[in-house]
Amino acid sequence: MNVAQRPTLYLAGPEVFLVNAAEIGRRKQRLCLAHGFEGLFPLDNDIIGLPTGTRIDQAIYKANLAMMERADAVIVNLTPFRGPGADVGSVFELGYMAGRGKPVFGYTNVAADLAARVARFDHVTFDEQSGYLRDSTGLMVEDFGNADNLMIDACLALQNHPLVVVDAPQDQLYEDLTGFEQCLRMAAAVLQAS
Amino acid sequence: MNVAQRPTLYLAGPEVFLVNAAEIGRRKQRLCLAHGFEGLFPLDNDIIGLPTGTRIDQAIYKANLAMMERADAVIVNLTPFRGPGADVGSVFELGYMAGRGKPVFGYTNVAADLAARVARFDHVTFDEQSGYLRDSTGLMVEDFGNADNLMIDACLALQNHPLVVVDAPQDQLYEDLTGFEQCLRMAAAVLQAS
């Protein structure tokens, strides 16, 4: 397979916010190559040479969108970020690619399910009247055994490559690539068939 | 304009997790009618008559997706949910509808920008070496003056109907519909033109 024929993967995840984001991007791209893919790593705050007056955030958005349009599929890091849920920027990209009809793959480096994740931040109780779990403000907590909101887990499951769940060490939360590699193997089965 | 000609709006937001979710859904749908729209309110845990063995979460996902396919546009409640960021289920739907090329509208009932939102949950400092704000774990905090991750704010802004920002009372965080009504007016200008 020559370079031009490699399927491309958009690599979404909150690791763009790490101090060593560029290094992790390179590690992910090397793993992509090893599995027969070209990896497209999103930029964040890293756009240069813009005309005066250009909004950097909107330029990054447009650059990320262009990468997603070019990509054949996406692998999203859905590890919890500043709370029990995934990074909303990454989830936007998951939804966008699903809306574009492209294969989506995802992993999380926290093994706890949503109810247990919420319970790390808030008091979760069983509401007998409704039969639902609720947080301390009365908001219902989904209890399907999913890692996150059902729109995320079901989207992946219904494409027949469910969320990959890894129990990564706390100090490797955004750097452990075990789940990412498992997504690469699933993506290879889908995109490199025949 | 007869009923059949009313444009339809998908009504995304974390209010589906409230005890009085159905009531808020009806309020939103009445406002839609008053502005010339039909409002489609997503189900959550409210699907009945499924064959034995059907996964409820996946049935809800499919029902929500069918509603989004039917809708001409989406209005998303992007009020922070269990942390500084928006509800990930709603953000997935924002991304999905953007990916489907449909108009997207959004509002938030918290007026603080992202840096101030994160500072409510964590210590945020300015990192002189990189020039970025960082949280206590070293993760960069976007500082564009946006309400949330740039993918959300820029998506809305680049469709020429930026995020509507409302400073709602704390006890009306998911029920204040001032921003929702402003989105309805913007949607009317886009979808009911000519």
Side-chain angles (χ1 to χ4, degrees):
Chain A
M1 189 182 282
N2 71 32
V3 173
Q5 290 173 322
R6 279 192 193 111
T8 53
L9 297 174
Y10 184 73
L11 309 178
E15 61 268 16
V16 291
F17 301 120
L18 288 169
V19 173
N20 59 340
E23 178 209 324
I24 293 170
R26 284 191 297 270
R27 278 178 57 205
K28 281 191 155 182
Q29 287 172 318
R30 277 196 299 269
L31 286 171
C32 286
L33 277 179
H35 288 266
F37 290 105
E38 181 189 358
L40 306 174
F41 194 65
L43 304 166
D44 201 278
N45 277 337
D46 211 24
I47 294 209
I48 53 172
L50 292 173
T52 311
T54 309
R55 283 196 60 139
I56 296 171
D57 55 347
Q58 295 182 3
I60 295 171
Y61 175 83
K62 287 180 186 171
N64 290 355
L65 230 65
M67 275 189 180
M68 288 195 279
E69 289 302 321
R70 194 184 140 207
D72 297 301
V74 64
I75 297 180
V76 190
N77 177 358
L78 293 160
T79 302
F81 180 75
R82 293 187 183 134
D87 164 47
V88 291
S90 306
V91 172
F92 176 92
E93 294 169 338
L94 174 68
Y96 186 88
M97 290 295 267
R100 296 292 289 117
K102 298 186 182 182
V104 295
F105 304 87
Y107 67 98
T108 176
N109 283 341
V110 168
D113 71 9
L114 181 63
R117 289 177 179 196
V118 175
R120 288 181 185 180
F121 294 88
D122 196 2
H123 197 60
V124 174
T125 51
F126 180 73
D127 172 19
E128 285 194 25
Q129 204 178 336
S130 64
Y132 296 144
L133 298 177
R134 296 201 181 276
D135 68 18
S136 65
T137 67
L139 288 161
M140 189 245 278
V141 180
E142 287 181 1
D143 190 23
F144 299 110
N146 288 327
D148 210 323
N149 184 288
L150 71 86
M151 298 303 291
I152 294 174
D153 288 69
C155 173
L156 294 163
L158 287 167
Q159 285 202 5
N160 293 315
H161 24 83
L163 181 67
V164 174
V165 179
V166 172
D167 189 12
Q170 185 63 31
D171 65 353
Q172 294 295 307
L173 211 49
Y174 302 109
E175 305 188 36
D176 188 302
L177 298 183
T178 313
F180 178 72
E181 278 210 79
Q182 200 169 326
C183 288
L184 281 172
R185 286 188 288 271
M186 297 194 300
V190 171
L191 295 165
Q192 299 167 359
S194 83
Chain B
M1 187 181 286
N2 71 34
V3 173
Q5 290 173 323
R6 278 192 194 111
T8 54
L9 297 174
Y10 183 75
L11 309 178
E15 60 269 15
V16 293
F17 301 120
L18 287 170
V19 173
N20 59 340
E23 177 209 324
I24 294 170
R26 284 192 296 272
R27 279 178 57 203
K28 283 191 155 183
Q29 287 172 319
R30 278 197 298 270
L31 286 170
C32 285
L33 277 179
H35 287 266
F37 291 105
E38 182 190 358
L40 306 174
F41 194 65
L43 303 166
D44 201 279
N45 277 337
D46 212 22
I47 293 208
I48 53 172
L50 291 173
T52 311
T54 309
R55 283 196 61 138
I56 296 172
D57 54 346
Q58 295 181 3
I60 295 171
Y61 175 84
K62 287 180 187 172
N64 291 355
L65 229 65
M67 275 189 180
M68 288 197 278
E69 288 301 320
R70 194 182 141 207
D72 297 300
V74 65
I75 297 179
V76 190
N77 177 357
L78 293 160
T79 303
F81 181 75
R82 293 188 184 133
D87 163 48
V88 290
S90 306
V91 172
F92 176 91
E93 294 170 335
L94 175 68
Y96 186 88
M97 291 294 267
R100 297 291 290 117
K102 297 186 182 183
V104 295
F105 305 86
Y107 67 98
T108 177
N109 282 343
V110 167
D113 72 8
L114 181 63
R117 289 177 178 194
V118 175
R120 289 179 185 181
F121 295 89
D122 196 4
H123 196 59
V124 175
T125 50
F126 180 71
D127 172 19
E128 286 195 25
Q129 203 176 337
S130 64
Y132 296 144
L133 298 177
R134 297 200 182 274
D135 68 19
S136 65
T137 67
L139 287 162
M140 188 245 278
V141 180
E142 287 182 2
D143 191 23
F144 298 110
N146 289 328
D148 211 322
N149 184 289
L150 70 87
M151 297 304 290
I152 294 174
D153 289 69
C155 173
L156 295 163
L158 288 168
Q159 285 203 4
N160 292 316
H161 25 83
L163 181 68
V164 174
V165 178
V166 172
D167 189 13
Q170 185 63 32
D171 65 353
Q172 294 295 307
L173 211 51
Y174 302 110
E175 305 189 35
D176 188 302
L177 298 183
T178 313
F180 178 71
E181 279 210 77
Q182 200 168 325
C183 286
L184 281 172
R185 286 188 288 271
M186 296 194 300
V190 171
L191 295 166
Q192 300 167 357
S194 83

